[in-house]
Structures are given as structure tokens and as C-alpha cells.
């Protein structure tokens, strides 16, 4: 069974999936420096698996505002030892590992080391080799909307849909099946605070394209702006945003705090999934 089929099968169950975040960076906005050593990353992976994570997302380059870009070699030096360290754990639990990178060289090395999914914050559009690398490994792709700079004058949801058209075309051209493509509105990336809310509200319109959708609002600054809390104290706001995303059709939630999300989703499912129409709750 290929990695793309495995993810497609999991999504087909309609059970929302929880992607646990494993940042192996010294400078991420929320948890930089906590898990950059392989032993610490291994312990955190064990915790997330025990708490019910469906995917473990490994990232080696901070993408917070003002971050310093890394070379592919520096990024690989961070992520490859961690992927090797956690692979026995994730394989034993049948939990796929995703590599959070926009560099094809890093994606190739990570997939060869045992990662199974590519999570690209530039939606296959920054590195021209990215789609081909994912296709060569039979890896699903998560394509995120992004912009170099926010533009308050645009309709952000229309912009996302146009962006995704380009990303999907690149994926299809490389031979990636539609059920191996996940769309991510890119909360906190190239958007004003108001547009982050618009992007969340627009998840229904994105889901109406027929592709699975990932929502990643965990601890983001727009939540802090609304509730006046630092990143480590934004769990309640994150849960509210993510449950709203589920109600609008999201399939995957990317989160720092796995157990609260697993428990919240369990209650949400028990209550029943509300209908969506045109991106609005009905």
C-alpha cells in the first residue's frame, strides 16, 4: 500500500485527523529549542503518539515572521537525524511522518529517510522540483497558500482558490493523484489579521473544490491578538478556531497540543457534524 493510498484511506473514513507538530528548530515562534535534539524529539513523538496523533509533522526551518532562511544542508542536518530516530516508533503505530519543507532536496532526503508526506508551505510553487520529488516517492502533498506580503485590498479566499488551481495543476502534471492532494489555507502566512479570519471562514469554499483540507491555526498570532495571550496560552483559542474549521469541512487539524484536540474532536463527533453550504454554517 502506498503512502498516498494510506492517507486517502484515512481521510475516507471522515474521521478528522490530528497532525502533531514536531519543530526541531531553535527559533520557532512557539516551541523553538524544545525538541531540536533527537532525544527530545523522540520523547515528544512518543507523547504525541500516546495522545492519539494521526500524523507527525517534522519541520527544521522556522517560518515565523522575520525568520532567517536555511540552506537545504542546514535543514537536513536538523530533520534527518530526527526522522531516523522516530521512524521505529511511528512505523510501529502505523502513523505517517510528514516533512515540512519547501525545498525539494530536503523533501527527497526526508522521504528516503522514512517520511511519507510532503507538507509544502509554498504549495509546490517555490521549488520547481518539489512536485516531481513527491511523485517519485508516491508521497501525498499538503499544499499551503502563501504570499510574500499581505495585501489588505484583495479578497483572500479568491486569492487562495487561484493559488490552489496552480498548485493542483503542478501536482497533476507530475502524476500526483487528486486523493493525494490536501489544501491548506495557510493561516498566519501572508495575510492580515482580518484575512486570517476570512481564510478560516472560507474553508467551506476550499472544501467545495473536492480536495481534502488541512487547518493549521495552532497558537497563531491572530488568536493572540484576539484574546491577549502569548503563544503558550492560546490553546483555548486554538480549539475554538479548529472546531470551527471542522464545522466548515476541514479534514486535518495541525496542532501543537495533541491530546486536547483528540478529546475535543471526539466530543464534536459525538454531537454530530453540522452541514455546510457555500462556506457558511447552515
Amino acid at each position: 500500500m502506498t503512502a498516498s493510498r494510506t492517507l486517502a484511506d484515512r481521510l475516507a473514513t471522515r474521521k478528522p485527523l490530528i497532525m502533531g507538530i514536531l519543530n526541531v528548530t531553535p527559533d520557532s515562534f512557539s516551541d523553538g529549542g524544545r525538541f531540536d535534539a533527537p532525544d527530545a524529539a523522540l520523547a515528544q513523538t512518543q507523547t504525541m503518539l500516546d495522545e492519539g496523533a494521526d500524523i507527525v509533522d517534522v519541520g527544521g526551518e522556522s517560518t515565523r515572521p522575520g525568520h532567517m532562511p536555511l540552506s537545504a544542508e542546514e535543514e537536513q542536518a536538523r530533520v534527518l537525524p530526527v526522522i531516523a530516530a522516530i521512524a521505529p516508533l511511528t512505523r510501529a503505530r502505523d502513523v505517517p511522518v510528514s516533512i515540512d519543507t519547501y525545498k525539494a532536496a530536503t523533501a527527497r532526503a526526508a522521504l528516503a529517510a522514512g517520511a511519507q508526506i510532503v507538507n509544502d508551505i509554498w504549495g509546490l510553487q517555490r521549488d520547481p522540483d518539489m512536485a516531481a520529488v513527491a511523485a517519485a516517492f508516491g508521497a501525498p502533498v499538503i499544499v499551503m497558500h502563501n504570499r510574500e506580503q499581505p495585501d489588505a485590498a484583495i479578497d483572500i479566499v479568491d486569492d487562495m482558490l487561484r493559488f490552489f488551481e496552480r498548485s493542483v495543476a503542478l501536482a497533476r502534471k507530475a502524476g500526483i493523484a487528486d486523493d493525494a492532494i490536501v489544501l491548506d489555507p495557510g493561516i498566519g502566512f501572508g495575510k492580515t489579521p482580518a484575512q486570517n479570519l476570512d481564510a478560516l471562514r472560507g474553508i467551506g469554499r476550499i472544501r467545495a473544490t473536492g480536495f481534502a483540507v488541512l487547518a493549521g491555526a495552532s497558537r497563531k498570532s491572530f488568536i493572540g491578538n484576539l484574546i491577549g495571550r502569548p503563544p503558550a496560552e492560546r490553546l483555548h483559542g486554538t480549539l475554538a478556531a479548529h472546531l470551527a474549521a471542522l464545522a466548515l469541512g476541514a479534514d486535518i487539524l495541525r496542532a501543537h497540543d495533541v491530546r486536547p484536540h483528540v478529546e475535543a474532536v471526539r466530543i464534536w463527533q459525538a454531537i454530530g457534524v453540522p452541514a455546510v453550504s457555500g462556506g457558511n454554517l447552515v
Side-chain angles (χ1 to χ4, degrees):
M1 181 179 290
T2 67
S4 62
R5 192 63 253 166
T6 298
L7 181 61
D9 283 347
R10 295 179 190 214
L11 290 169
T13 68
R14 300 305 301 152
K15 170 190 173 292
L17 304 181
I18 306 302
M19 172 187 277
I21 298 170
L22 186 63
N23 286 324
V24 293
T25 61
D27 56 346
S28 288
F29 80 98
S30 176
D31 53 3
R34 292 188 61 195
F35 310 119
D36 50 347
D39 287 349
L42 184 64
Q44 176 64 2
T45 299
Q46 182 70 67
T47 296
M48 292 195 294
L49 294 175
D50 290 345
E51 292 180 346
D54 298 292
I55 304 168
V56 174
D57 188 47
V58 178
E61 178 177 339
S62 172
T63 52
R64 61 179 173 77
H67 76 282
M68 292 296 293
L70 290 181
S71 68
E73 293 75 18
E74 291 174 304
E75 186 180 33
Q76 290 168 39
R78 293 179 180 179
V79 300
L80 296 182
V82 168
I83 291 171
I86 70 174
L89 283 179
T90 56
R91 281 198 299 266
R93 300 289 189 93
D94 190 29
V95 170
V97 172
S98 58
I99 177 64
D100 182 353
T101 185
Y102 56 89
K103 303 181 187 72
T106 297
R108 182 183 295 109
L111 292 168
Q116 296 156 285
I117 300 169
V118 174
N119 181 12
D120 184 353
I121 67 165
W122 281 101
L124 310 179
Q125 298 183 38
R126 177 56 59 93
D127 189 323
D129 296 326
M130 183 64 93
V133 167
F137 281 87
V141 292
I142 299 167
V143 296
M144 194 191 84
H145 173 267
N146 210 337
R147 295 179 57 85
E148 291 287 357
Q149 297 293 334
D151 181 353
I154 65 172
D155 183 316
I156 197 64
V157 180
D158 285 347
D159 190 71
M160 288 191 296
L161 292 172
R162 289 192 296 270
F163 181 98
F164 290 140
E165 286 179 0
R166 297 191 295 271
S167 294
V168 168
L170 290 169
R172 286 172 169 168
K173 183 177 180 180
I176 299 171
D178 282 6
D179 67 0
I181 302 170
V182 178
L183 309 183
D184 176 355
I187 308 301
F189 289 83
K191 298 171 183 66
T192 67
Q195 286 173 337
N196 284 316
L197 296 173
D198 289 339
L200 276 168
R201 295 186 192 103
I203 282 175
R205 288 179 62 192
I206 300 169
R207 192 65 180 81
T209 64
F211 293 94
V213 174
L214 179 149
S218 189
R219 303 183 185 177
K220 292 292 177 71
S221 60
F222 84 95
I223 296 173
N225 292 338
L226 288 170
I227 65 175
R229 297 288 184 182
E233 298 177 18
R234 295 174 185 168
L235 172 60
H236 300 154
T238 296
L239 288 171
H242 279 164
L243 290 176
L246 288 183
L248 289 163
D251 303 272
I252 305 173
L253 302 177
R254 183 177 182 272
H256 296 86
D257 304 286
V258 170
R259 180 180 172 185
H261 278 80
V262 169
E263 294 177 350
V265 167
R266 189 171 300 159
I267 301 303
W268 181 84
Q269 284 189 295
I271 294 168
V273 181
V276 297
S277 177
N280 296 304
L281 294 175
V282 297

